[in-house]
Amino acid sequence: MCGIALSLGPEADPTIFRRMLATLAPRGEVTETRYENGLLTGTRRLPIVDRRSAVQPWASADERWLLCYNGEVFNHPELRAELVRRGHRFRGTGDTEVVLAAFLQWGEGMVTRLRGEYAFAVVERATGRAYLVRDPLGVKPLYWARTPGCLHVASEVKALVGHRVPIVEVPPGHHGWVEPDGPVRLRAYVDLLTLGDGLPVVDDPDEAALLVRAALTDSIRMRVDTDLTVGVVLSGGLDSSLALLHVREMHPDCVAVTVGVPDSPDVAYARRLAKDLGVPHEVVELRPRDIRLADIREAIRMSELTEYGDIINAVVTVPLFRRLRELGVKVVLTGDGSDELFGGYPMYHEVGPEASRRLFLHKIRNLCRTELQRVDRASMGHGVEARVPFLDLSLVELAMRLPIGLKMRDGQEKWIVRRAFADLLPDYVRRRPKNPMSYSSGLHERARLYKPLFARLHRSFGYHLLEPVRRDFDTVLTRCGNDLDRAIADGRARPDYTVLEHARDLVGAAKWNAAPMVRRLVGPRRTRGDEAPLPG
């Protein structure tokens, strides 16, 4: 995976372009550029597939087209075989070359054949027009901005803020043509709001369990097809544990990494599972007092996130990926997306089936600017490629065909996932309830102490040129009785928390952070050996 940048048009400035690309340096290891009059293209490449040959920008054999590509198409071997049968000749073994060949063979129709996590631009050198594509869920990012005589495209907001003009996100599942001095015409090739419409409902528990098991297993299999060590971000919860169980069987050269305070639930569960599986395990142990303003600022700078809760999660996530970089691990699997698909949040079970489906689809459509943005920036900010097997489009579509009764049953969320893998999951993992990441790591309340500063720090980096920091949508939704339309309207009317709300939140966080100090002053001293017991 990579960071990509392009400046298209007569006013494209090489000096400005170099600064754009420099901001993307953490996303890769090798800088590759091509400068032409009115056409500046470049990548900061993280070599994963065909590490020696997949040099970018990749040019077609006739030099008509250039490709700047970020991500991976996991079905590239199958596509390559089909393209070879159609007469294409390949110079290397990677997916970069396959993506451009697919475009040359099928034009815009190629997007329906790609299975993976990607964002890319194909540029016609003679005209400077570009074809932009982003994957269906928005796992990989892409943005654009326009200045007089030039269109700029980049993988991250921070590469575009220097132009001091409005920044626009390429929506997930969209593609289309952009002109250096003309309109940006993008349209959906996957509509996440109608995904699964018209397909039969799978309401038989046995059939559903078999389908979920087959789809997730296949998704993970495709994402561990590498000769590199594979890491797993392990919280000890259901989703990350399933990822580790599969990776251990499919790719024994693996390592699990966990972040949290020493006696947090995440650390305890993760230690037990990694030990039971015999998997090397790295624990990034933090204490609440270790999180300081500099860590908050760096998490906001790196993540570009726009909701308070996501920023707190980024504060917790950044040290984890920093450790993975230190370990030399470049490919990592995470469990993100399962809660959105399989009913991991209470809101889904407090409304009727139709309203529940709308909530599912709304959450999934917005993952690109919440969970997935956090994972992309925190991982790529340290030169690590994070893959999200729960968000393979085939699994997402399947999840939309499952009734809510299979996702929540007997008071247990994600029931169908637990059933599908009941024979693989240790009982202590299968029965563990959902607990949000920053809370179960034990670090949420410390990061929450700095919430009143989030918006100001966000603006200091120029990220408001895309959108400002706003209230957590889940909080708004809860206050609106899980009425989606009402919550959207309320979010537009009051985008941020009031001063009074911030003050109340700060008082609560201050009380929590003061409590340990009080306990240390008045409580008995803890002796060596008084360690927190493992769960179960």
Side-chain angles (χ1 to χ4, degrees):
M1 294 197 180
C2 311
I4 66 174
L6 305 92
S7 287
L8 312 173
E11 297 302 318
D13 186 320
T15 301
I16 294 174
F17 177 77
R18 281 192 289 269
R19 287 201 294 265
M20 285 174 54
L21 195 56
T23 65
L24 302 176
R27 294 185 72 93
E29 299 172 352
V30 183
T31 298
E32 298 165 342
T33 58
R34 184 158 176 165
Y35 291 6
E36 301 178 14
N37 187 32
L39 176 58
L40 310 177
T41 56
T43 65
R44 180 67 177 173
R45 184 164 61 94
L46 181 65
I48 299 292
V49 181
D50 196 10
R51 295 187 284 276
R52 293 184 179 180
S53 303
V55 177
Q56 295 192 47
W58 187 271
S60 61
D62 60 4
E63 291 285 318
R64 178 184 174 185
W65 302 97
L66 295 178
L67 170 66
C68 289
Y69 171 55
N70 169 32
E72 183 165 349
V73 170
F74 299 118
N75 64 331
H76 72 90
E78 294 87 346
L79 291 174
R80 175 187 294 271
E82 183 173 355
L83 289 163
V84 166
R85 290 194 297 270
R86 291 175 177 268
H88 288 265
R89 295 183 178 181
F90 291 91
R91 292 168 270 170
T93 60
D95 59 329
T96 301
E97 189 177 7
V98 171
V99 168
L100 186 54
F103 171 77
L104 298 178
Q105 178 66 45
W106 296 300
E108 297 177 29
M110 55 96 76
V111 292
T112 63
R113 297 172 177 265
L114 305 182
R115 183 180 179 186
E117 304 163 358
Y118 49 82
F120 59 85
V122 179
V123 185
E124 187 176 42
R125 291 177 58 229
T127 63
R129 67 181 185 134
Y131 174 60
L132 305 183
V133 180
R134 191 175 182 194
D135 67 67
L137 275 296
V139 179
K140 293 291 103 182
L142 198 60
Y143 303 89
W144 63 270
R146 190 184 294 283
T147 55
C150 194
L151 180 74
H152 309 278
V153 179
S155 291
E156 296 187 11
V157 177
K158 58 179 66 68
L160 299 172
V161 294
H163 300 297
R164 302 184 183 279
V165 297
I167 299 168
V168 184
E169 179 183 25
V170 174
H174 278 61
H175 69 147
W177 291 93
V178 299
E179 307 281 346
D181 56 355
V184 174
R185 298 188 179 94
L186 302 177
R187 64 190 186 282
Y189 65 91
V190 171
D191 184 358
L192 294 178
L193 292 182
T194 61
L195 201 63
D197 282 3
L199 296 175
V201 173
V202 182
D203 54 9
D204 178 78
D206 293 332
E207 180 186 5
L210 287 173
L211 291 173
V212 168
R213 181 162 179 151
L216 180 59
T217 300
D218 183 57
S219 179
I220 294 175
R221 177 189 58 78
M222 298 189 81
R223 286 164 173 78
V224 297
D225 184 15
T226 176
D227 60 346
L228 299 173
T229 300
V230 174
V232 175
V233 175
L234 180 66
S235 69
L238 174 67
D239 312 316
S240 63
S241 296
L242 278 174
L244 183 61
L245 283 161
H246 283 83
V247 172
R248 174 179 170 271
E249 293 301 317
M250 299 174 180
H251 195 91
D253 181 13
C254 63
V255 60
V257 182
T258 305
V259 63
V261 301
D263 58 351
S264 66
D266 277 5
V267 170
Y269 276 94
R271 282 192 193 278
R272 180 174 181 181
L273 181 65
K275 181 179 179 181
D276 288 350
L277 296 179
V279 172
H281 187 209
E282 289 283 328
V283 177
V284 181
E285 288 193 351
L286 295 175
R287 297 183 184 276
R289 63 178 179 269
D290 295 332
I291 295 178
R292 301 180 182 275
L293 179 58
D295 303 296
I296 304 294
R297 180 181 176 83
E298 176 60 8
I300 292 174
R301 184 202 67 80
M302 185 177 291
S303 70
E304 308 173 349
L305 288 160
T306 58
E307 288 193 17
Y308 289 88
D310 294 319
I311 292 172
I312 290 176
N313 283 338
V315 173
V316 177
T317 305
V318 167
L320 187 148
F321 283 104
R322 184 185 301 130
R323 181 59 181 146
L324 283 163
R325 179 185 63 188
E326 293 168 354
L327 293 170
V329 177
K330 295 182 181 180
V331 177
V332 172
L333 267 62
T334 80
D336 292 277
S338 176
D339 289 314
E340 286 76 13
L341 294 183
F342 295 107
Y345 298 115
M347 68 182 76
Y348 296 141
H349 315 293
E350 296 169 358
V351 295
E354 184 55 36
S356 174
R357 178 180 173 81
R358 290 191 66 215
L359 289 175
F360 273 114
L361 294 171
H362 178 87
K363 289 282 287 185
I364 291 166
R365 185 177 63 171
N366 281 277
L367 279 174
C368 64
R369 47 166 294 276
T370 54
E371 288 294 298
L372 291 178
Q373 181 168 318
R374 172 184 60 81
V375 171
D376 173 80
R377 302 300 194 280
S379 61
M380 295 302 291
H382 293 97
V384 177
E385 176 186 312
R387 301 174 177 179
V388 283
F390 278 96
L391 292 177
D392 192 275
L393 189 61
S394 61
L395 187 57
V396 176
E397 187 175 80
L398 172 61
M400 291 303 99
R401 297 169 58 197
L402 304 180
I404 190 65
L406 292 184
K407 297 177 179 182
M408 167 67 83
R409 180 171 290 195
D410 301 327
Q412 193 170 59
E413 87 286 347
K414 295 184 283 191
W415 179 85
I416 192 62
V417 179
R418 299 173 196 273
R419 170 158 181 171
F421 296 98
D423 60 320
L424 295 182
L425 288 165
D427 193 60
Y428 59 88
V429 171
R430 188 170 62 85
R431 295 182 180 277
R432 185 186 178 188
K434 166 69 181 173
N435 201 354
M437 172 190 173
S438 59
Y439 289 94
S440 58
S441 69
L443 297 166
H444 177 93
E445 293 295 337
R446 177 65 178 186
R448 177 184 166 210
L449 193 62
Y450 297 93
K451 277 179 66 175
L453 304 176
F454 287 5
R456 187 171 70 189
L457 290 170
H458 185 271
R459 288 193 300 272
S460 74
F461 295 115
Y463 298 157
H464 62 288
L465 292 170
L466 176 68
E467 59 177 322
V469 170
R470 56 192 178 191
R471 289 184 297 164
D472 296 302
F473 185 77
D474 286 354
T475 300
V476 177
L477 189 64
T478 299
R479 291 181 178 177
C480 292
N482 294 319
D483 184 321
L484 181 59
D485 294 325
R486 182 181 160 199
I488 291 173
D490 188 69
R492 290 171 180 163
R494 286 198 308 135
D496 201 355
Y497 294 108
T498 64
V499 173
L500 180 58
E501 286 172 323
H502 271 305
R504 289 172 177 168
D505 194 52
L506 180 60
V507 169
K511 287 181 179 178
W512 188 95
N513 281 274
M517 184 180 297
V518 173
R519 287 196 295 269
R520 285 197 297 272
L521 291 174
V522 303
R525 289 185 175 274
R526 191 172 183 176
T527 61
R528 190 179 300 234
D530 289 342
E531 299 178 354
L534 290 174

